[in-house]
Amino acid sequence: MEPTPDPLTKAFNDAIRPYLDQIEHLKNKVEDTTYQLQQLEDERADMHAWIDKRGLRADVPPSIANAMNSDPTSAQTLNYQLDRKMTVLNHDLHRLQDSLSSHLPTATFASTLAQLIPSIEDLSALPGGPALAFELIIKLGGNLNSHGGDEGWNNDADASSRAEFYNRLDDCMLDIVRLRLAPASGEDPPWQVGRDIKRLEKTGAFLRTKLGLQTYFPRSLELMKRGESRGAQ
């Protein structure tokens, strides 16, 4: 038989009992909340997996994209999906053109392909994203070049639309080049700027001959050359 507590101890226990009950209640609430949070985390992971499985990361609202981009592999995942989306979009444009008796104006192709530029800009803001975005911008320009040209579809309107499209690509590429040249870029292995300068210059010379495109990433090339000069010092 337990000894009867003295009056002082009994009074103390009676006084703190409501607080102990509250603490126990709060502990139970914390456990319930933790379980609910884990359920939400699992549901979010399932939703992200569903989005990625269908290649829809570039199309989700910003709030969801920000959450998905916290993953260390987000740049590679988004790059893969954008590359695939670009390929599908370009194929659809070719199929549409083949179904028509007259050619679509370059402006139609340019405006359709330009829809991908904001997503490529988002990619460039992710860790490891600038180098991937650099290649996608070049590929996006190449996709426009695949429409027309060989069939003699070029006219003043087409040439103007192509030049305007490339000017917009150059705007985007400038920001990407700045990110790649920044000391904190952390590219591994380091960016071989000179190699890409030669590549862009060679492509630009080819496009001047084939399509009459007078400038090919002129401002980006200028910035790359300045960056290469600083790196050589």
Side-chain angles (χ1 to χ4, degrees), residues 130-131 134-135 138 173-182 185-197 199-200 220-221 223-225 227-228 230-231:
F134 184 91
E135 297 299 330
I138 294 174
M173 186 68 96
L174 265 175
D175 292 333
I176 293 170
V177 170
R178 289 190 185 100
L179 289 170
R180 297 193 72 183
L181 290 175
S185 66
E187 283 197 28
D188 186 22
W191 185 22
Q192 300 298 315
V193 187
R195 181 188 62 187
D196 281 326
I197 289 174
R199 177 162 66 119
L200 293 182
S220 299
L221 272 169
L223 181 59
M224 290 165 67
K225 290 175 181 177
E228 184 186 34
R230 288 197 300 270

Side-chain angles (χ1 to χ4, degrees), residues 134-149:
F134 184 91
E135 297 299 330
L136 284 183
I137 285 292
I138 294 174
K139 182 176 180 179
L140 192 60
N143 282 346
L144 180 67
N145 299 336
S146 70
H147 299 282

Side-chain angles (χ1 to χ4, degrees), residues 22-142:
Q22 289 183 33
I23 291 172
E24 188 63 27
H25 177 68
L26 289 173
K27 285 173 61 178
N28 291 334
K29 287 188 66 175
V30 168
E31 290 177 359
D32 290 343
T33 302
T34 301
Y35 176 73
Q36 292 172 2
L37 285 174
Q38 186 58 52
Q39 282 188 312
L40 291 173
E41 288 289 345
D42 292 343
E43 290 174 4
R44 183 174 71 167
D46 289 343
M47 179 184 68
H48 291 178
W50 186 93
I51 290 170
D52 279 338
K53 184 176 181 180
R54 288 155 181 80
L56 300 174
R57 183 177 289 219
D59 303 311
V60 298
S63 58
I64 298 177
N66 290 338
M68 298 183 74
N69 290 341
S70 63
D71 187 281
T73 63
S74 58
Q76 289 80 4
T77 302
L78 181 57
N79 176 68
Y80 170 78
Q81 293 185 16
L82 286 174
D83 186 80
R84 183 174 181 275
K85 184 175 182 179
M86 189 186 303
T87 300
V88 171
L89 189 61
N90 194 46
H91 175 75
D92 289 344
L93 286 170
H94 276 294
R95 187 170 56 183
L96 174 62
Q97 178 60 75
D98 292 342
S99 69
L100 301 175
S101 57
S102 59
H103 90 279
L104 288 169
T106 298
T108 300
F109 297 115
S111 62
T112 303
L113 294 171
Q115 296 174 22
L116 294 172
I117 293 178
S119 295
I120 296 176
E121 291 173 334
D122 292 340
L123 171 63
S124 70
L126 299 176
L132 300 172
F134 184 91
E135 297 299 330
L136 284 183
I137 285 292
I138 294 174
K139 182 176 180 179
L140 192 60

Side-chain angles (χ1 to χ4, degrees), residues 189-224:
W191 185 22
Q192 300 298 315
V193 187
R195 181 188 62 187
D196 281 326
I197 289 174
K198 292 178 181 178
R199 177 162 66 119
L200 293 182
E201 288 180 334
K202 182 178 180 180
T203 303
F206 172 77
L207 293 177
R208 275 193 298 274
T209 301
K210 181 181 179 183
L211 299 178
L213 184 67
Q214 296 305 309
T215 57
Y216 183 74
F217 297 110
R219 290 168 295 157
S220 299
L221 272 169
E222 181 182 352
L223 181 59
M224 290 165 67

